[in-house]
Amino acid sequence: MAAGGRGVADPLSPAGVPCAFSPLNQAYFALASADGQLRVWETANNRLHQEYVPSAHLSGTCTCLAWAPARLQAKESPQRKKRKSEAIGPSNQIDLLALGTAVGSILLYSTVKGELHSKLISGGHDNKVNCIQWHQDNGCLYSCSDDKHIVEWNTQTCKVKCKWKGDNSSVSSLCISPDGKMLLSAGRTIKLWVLETKEIYRHFTGHATPVSSLVFTTVRPPSESQPFDGVTGLYFLSGAVHDRLLNVWQVRSENKEKNAVMSFTVTDEPVYIDLTLSENKEEPVKLAVVCKDGQVHLFEHILNGYCKKPLTSNCTIQIVTPGKGKKSTPKPIPILAAGFCSDKMSLLLVYGNWFQPTIERVALSSKEPHMCLVRDISNCWAPKVETAITKVRTPVMNSEAKVLVPGVPGHHAAIKPPPSQTEEVESKRKLGENEISIEERLGALDIDTKKEKDDLPQTNSFPVLLTQGLESNDFEMLNKVLQTRNLNLIKRTVLRMPLHAVIPLLQELTKRLQGHPNSAVLMVQWLKCVLTVHASYLSTLPDLVPQLGTLYQLMESRVKTFQKLSHLHGKLILLITQVTASEKSKGMTCPEQKAKLVYEEESSEEESDDEIEKDSDDNWDEDEEDKESEKDEDVDEEEEEEEEDAEEKDEENGEDRDVASEKELNGDSDLDPENESEEE
């Protein structure tokens, strides 16, 4: 009858954790913690009975759970007890626990076997399961989900019997009528379905937020004058997310009345609800509501029609820690769940933290409007697991066995010191000297105390170092391997590394690619080699794309501007080529020219003989150049002699200008020193 809270990932999902008491005498309390593990506690002695970790407890965490009803367990108990004759304990331990997950699958866990009984997957939900309800008689299971559908399961065959759309939005809660012929479902509105035809029998207004709890509060209608069809006249209760009012609805024969007939007010959002059913019209309904603020509100009311004013609680229960010292204030301890015991005069309270909750039975007093229980839970953090200790066995060591020292395979892990050092330690020990240095002790243990700081690893140890560095996340060891620039060494290392280290290596390379650009150049070489060598292994991984999602995004962001940069690079090269070509053409049109002969009108008499000789030598060179340039012209030797005679005559007459021009034109190579002196 309890309605437990479910997952808290969505802001409009119920607070708290999925939990429920077992139906037979509340002997067990099941709690699906936030880490995805199921823990079953014994309520009598507050001991951890069983612990189960689903295979997908991190990706598909438990969002809701429900115990199989007591009638089903009573039918199955003799057969199961015979099959499990060695099981310790009475037949009330024989039960199944249904777990709904965040991925849409439903697990059936057997607390007798201590393992998974079966799994309901095919044809069911494709989104988070919000609520699970067992049918009291036929053993069917009903579940609702965020995918807007309600599914009827056959737990024997683990297959879907029927699936239909329950609402236009997600269906958050379910409840089966006492006779098992009707089903309540709720999203924001509440619908009553006929299970045989899967048709809507009644509509109810519902709440402004998703309904988190649905439970019938009566089994017989208040007035028995007219024949009872199994549902007309019954009352049911509903609680919603972020709603501090619990509404009570009555199933009427006419379809006009859709509003709640009364409501209960609490201090915060309801997390866990338990109640005692009203068997007749004179028996009041007892209601225990655990709120998000950690308090429990108790209500007691006879359901007799419409009540306008919201009803307040008759009693409130809180638990606090004892204050240490005079000035310290007590701290509240949150209550996780509360359930009525079979005598209806006491309450089982579960409080503390979800990892190590404390379960206590509290007697109810009708006179006290407020109960504050002081409890010290500081020493209750360690879980009490007695059965697991016996499974640990210590291995028996043989004296002849050789123990291998941890180290790199193929290398010596330790270098033995000279024997004199060991003898020295032994002699000191014999003499009773207490002061032995740590270096001597390490030497006696055959451990090399001299460690070279800049000792690079050997080539054949790179795969081992890489694997150890990835497993231990050793930054220095990974740097030694990944900072190598030898491509052959990189390829050999990748070839020899084990396959289980490929994905961790890719993740490490992705992390380093996001760092400095200089390190990214090296990491690209490693990445290229890994993807080339281990392509066949990587193609077999089904979840490769989500694992390498960061790498894909990184590559896309890096390559995003490559096309623009290449266009810009092409334009810059074109501009530089044009500028270089234009400068080259300008330089060719204006070359530097030196004058072959400089003529001065007034000759200096102070010029030394050296300068004259220098000038004559220059003229000699220039005449040689002129002669070479005029080799193409055919000049007769006779004409040259005539011109030389004419030259001599002109020199005697003192015609300097004509002499210079004729020398330049004729390329005369004979310079007579006498003529030079005459010129001076």
Side-chain angles (χ1 to χ4, degrees), residues 101-161:
T101 64
V103 293
S105 59
I106 297 173
L107 311 176
L108 296 182
Y109 175 75
S110 171
T111 53
V112 174
K113 298 178 183 177
E115 61 185 19
L116 194 66
H117 181 271
S118 56
K119 195 171 184 180
L120 313 179
I121 303 176
S122 59
H125 301 290
D126 54 7
N127 210 327
K128 184 181 76 169
V129 181
N130 290 323
C131 185
I132 296 175
Q133 287 290 322
W134 289 85
H135 198 280
Q136 299 96 310
D137 302 320
N138 58 15
C140 288
L141 196 69
Y142 294 89
S143 61
C144 62
S145 168
D146 280 353
D147 62 4
K148 309 175 185 179
H149 285 82
I150 302 171
V151 177
E152 181 181 8
W153 298 89
N154 186 337
T155 54
Q156 302 297 326
T157 60
C158 300
K159 292 182 179 178
V160 176
K161 283 182 68 177

Side-chain angles (χ1 to χ4, degrees), residues 600-618:
E600 294 183 0
E601 192 172 352
E602 294 179 3
S603 61
S604 173
E605 295 180 357
E606 297 176 357
E607 287 181 356
S608 61
D609 294 338
D610 296 336
E611 289 177 353
I612 295 169
E613 288 175 2
K614 188 178 179 182
D615 292 337
S616 62
D617 291 340
D618 293 339

Side-chain angles (χ1 to χ4, degrees), residues 246-406:
L246 296 169
N247 291 339
V248 179
W249 314 79
Q250 188 177 14
V251 184
R252 300 181 185 272
S253 56
E254 68 273 8
N255 201 16
K256 295 179 181 178
E257 186 65 38
K258 295 182 180 180
N259 297 326
V261 294
M262 65 180 70
S263 58
F264 300 104
T265 179
V266 290
T267 54
D268 206 342
E269 175 187 336
V271 173
Y272 192 97
I273 298 174
D274 191 29
L275 52 82
T276 62
L277 281 170
S278 174
E279 300 287 344
N280 52 57
K281 62 180 181 180
E282 296 177 357
E283 184 180 1
V285 172
K286 289 186 176 181
L287 182 67
V289 183
V290 180
C291 294
K292 191 177 178 181
D293 57 6
Q295 299 183 47
V296 175
H297 298 276
L298 300 176
F299 298 88
E300 188 172 346
H301 184 73
I302 298 173
L303 301 175
N304 55 1
Y306 185 75
C307 181
K308 186 177 181 181
K309 189 177 179 182
L311 302 174
T312 56
S313 61
N314 300 334
C315 179
T316 305
I317 302 175
Q318 279 183 299
I319 301 178
V320 294
T321 59
K324 295 180 181 179
K326 294 181 180 179
K327 295 183 179 180
S328 63
T329 56
K331 294 182 180 179
I333 300 172
I335 300 174
L336 304 177
F340 285 102
C341 298
S342 56
D343 59 356
K344 299 183 182 181
M345 295 304 295
S346 56
L347 201 65
L348 272 176
L349 294 180
V350 182
Y351 57 89
N353 63 333
W354 52 263
F355 181 74
Q356 176 66 38
T358 305
I359 304 172
E360 183 181 346
R361 185 168 179 167
V362 178
L364 298 177
S365 174
S366 58
K367 296 180 181 179
E368 296 183 14
H370 186 82
M371 293 173 64
C372 185
L373 308 176
V374 180
R375 298 290 182 268
D376 187 7
I377 60 167
S378 59
N379 299 324
C380 300
W381 295 105
K384 302 172 184 177
V385 184
E386 299 172 4
T387 56
I389 301 171
T390 58
K391 297 179 182 179
V392 180
R393 293 185 179 180
T394 307
V396 180
M397 296 295 293
N398 189 1
S399 59
E400 297 178 358
K402 184 179 180 182
V403 181
L404 296 176
V405 182

